[in-house]
Amino acid sequence: MARKAVYYMAVKEGIDHVAAPVYSALNSLLSFAEKSIEVDGYPVLEYIDDKGDLFWFVRTGKVVCHDYNRYLPAMLENFSEFDVAGLITWHEGENAPDKVFSVHTTGDVDTGNFGPASPRYMHNLLVWLEKNRLNEGLEDFSVTTEATHWSGIMYGDSSPELIPAYTVPIMDIEIGSTEESWGDEKAAKVLAASLLRIFDDDGLTLKNILCAGGTHFDRAFSGEIFRTWEDKAYGFSHIIPNQWLVTGGYDVDRGLEKLKDCVDSIDGGIHGIAMHDGLKGAYKEKLRDLGKEYGVPVFKHQQLRKPELIEWTK
């Protein structure tokens, strides 16, 4: 059966630093068919590759998570029967790394509202971003993961409880974190080409990992995204940083319930829990309780470097 991906991109001038250049790169690569569905006056565009996989590109006037209450009804009506979704956008922020391709899952960790996540499709995308980065000679760029978050919170949308309503696994796919990087034509080309390879996997068996603790961009986790052993690799998806474990009260019983909701949002479940060594004891205790609940090993982040020594239970 054909697989289906949908990508959202705010192409209106002056709205998104990255979506418009990536759309231009796609436009130079592909011949689109217009669908009868429109969003913000833009017809949805369709591309079908030589394997029969289908890709829809939804152009918008605003970044969808910045006005989620308005966009969600259209997303549910028109774009809910897809295997995976992506939001193409830019990254910036104080102390944010530059010259990065960043991928992260959607969720508001503080309130415990997690969007569906697919470690397989996230793995595929990361792998192809890396391959295409090297093919384009972008030696000064790198591919990284980022802590799970939802930009709607930062842009005034106070409805994080709506995040799980969209049942398609969705990721933010970004270029960061300065004007020079956002406008890099080769970077836009790399991202555009990688979107079309999200269903092309490397055949490795994934060990899905829930990551907890650390910072927003933490090398303890992102540094392991391409590690392989035997015929296996890690499947990353939700990464819960220390700051929101604290503000979200993950050291009490309600925190354990939020962690269960997080695990249950991950396609295929988890095979292990990696705790950043800097976490305080109360949070580690809740993660160990979670591991017992799901029958998976719980270990310090350093053990990610030696996966063959982890006592996998499944």
Side-chain angles (χ1 to χ4, degrees):
M1 292 181 61
R3 296 161 295 187
K4 300 189 294 182
V6 57
Y7 296 114
Y8 301 95
M9 45 186 63
V11 298
K12 186 177 179 180
E13 186 176 355
I15 297 298
D16 191 301
H17 304 292
V18 164
V22 170
Y23 170 64
S24 294
L26 286 164
N27 219 13
S28 67
L29 287 172
L30 308 175
S31 295
F32 294 116
E34 289 190 359
K35 307 299 290 183
S36 59
I37 303 166
E38 288 190 0
V39 177
D40 291 347
Y42 299 104
V44 173
L45 302 176
E46 179 183 77
Y47 170 72
I48 301 175
D49 70 11
D50 55 8
K51 299 182 296 298
D53 292 330
L54 181 146
F55 301 84
W56 279 15
F57 299 92
V58 181
R59 295 170 293 171
T60 59
K62 296 180 68 175
V63 180
V64 294
C65 63
H66 298 179
D67 198 0
Y68 208 58
N69 282 285
R70 181 167 71 88
Y71 285 112
L72 182 59
M75 293 167 67
L76 293 175
E77 180 180 358
N78 300 304
F79 316 116
S80 60
E81 299 298 320
F82 283 75
D83 297 288
V84 67
L87 173 62
I88 315 307
T89 188
W90 82 100
H91 185 272
E92 66 177 325
E94 188 177 354
N95 301 320
D98 195 19
K99 297 189 181 302
V100 292
F101 298 101
S102 175
V103 181
H104 70 83
T105 52
T106 295
D108 181 50
V109 177
D110 215 351
T111 61
N113 288 285
F114 295 94
S118 170
R120 170 56 68 183
Y121 293 141
M122 186 164 175
H123 172 79
N124 291 353
L125 183 59
L126 291 166
V127 166
W128 281 102
L129 282 167
E130 179 68 0
K131 288 182 178 180
N132 289 325
R133 177 189 74 83
L134 294 173
N135 288 340
E136 282 295 326
L138 286 177
E139 300 291 342
D140 51 347
F141 272 76
S142 61
V143 177
T144 184
T145 50
E146 189 180 346
T148 298
H149 66 281
W150 188 59
S151 298
I153 295 294
M154 295 180 283
Y155 286 84
D157 196 314
S158 58
S159 307
E161 69 278 0
L162 295 179
I163 295 172
Y166 188 57
T167 58
V168 181
I170 187 168
M171 297 168 280
D172 281 27
I173 308 164
E174 306 171 351
I175 297 173
S177 297
T178 63
E179 188 171 347
E180 180 184 357
S181 297
W182 301 331
D184 191 302
E185 291 185 4
K186 284 189 174 181
K189 183 179 177 181
V190 164
L191 198 154
S194 301
L195 298 178
L196 305 176
R197 307 304 295 266
I198 198 164
F199 297 124
D200 297 346
D201 69 68
D202 52 19
L204 296 174
T205 298
L206 297 186
K207 291 292 188 180
N208 296 344
I209 302 295
L210 174 65
C211 299
T215 59
H216 199 74
F217 285 94
D218 204 303
R219 289 291 298 169
F221 304 128
S222 64
E224 303 302 318
I225 57 178
F226 299 121
R227 185 175 296 280
T228 61
W229 70 102
E230 299 170 352
D231 62 343
K232 301 176 181 65
Y234 291 125
F236 288 99
S237 58
H238 287 311
I239 300 174
I240 308 175
N242 185 74
Q243 67 187 85
W244 291 321
L245 285 170
V246 174
T247 59
Y250 280 74
D251 54 341
V252 298
D253 289 344
R254 176 63 184 127
L256 182 58
E257 293 304 311
K258 291 179 183 179
L259 288 169
K260 290 179 184 177
D261 289 343
C262 180
V263 172
D264 292 344
S265 72
I266 299 172
D267 186 28
I270 59 172
H271 301 96
I273 300 169
M275 305 183 298
H276 196 281
D277 201 21
L279 272 178
K280 291 185 176 180
Y283 302 98
K284 289 181 178 178
E285 180 182 348
K286 285 293 179 282
L287 290 165
R288 292 189 184 102
D289 290 342
L290 183 71
K292 291 177 184 176
E293 183 93 15
Y294 287 88
V296 300
V298 182
F299 47 86
K300 294 180 181 179
H301 73 265
Q302 292 92 335
Q303 288 184 254
L304 288 170
R305 303 170 196 162
K306 297 183 178 180
E308 65 279 358
L309 300 182
I310 297 172
E311 296 181 359
W312 305 105
T313 55
K314 56 183 180 180

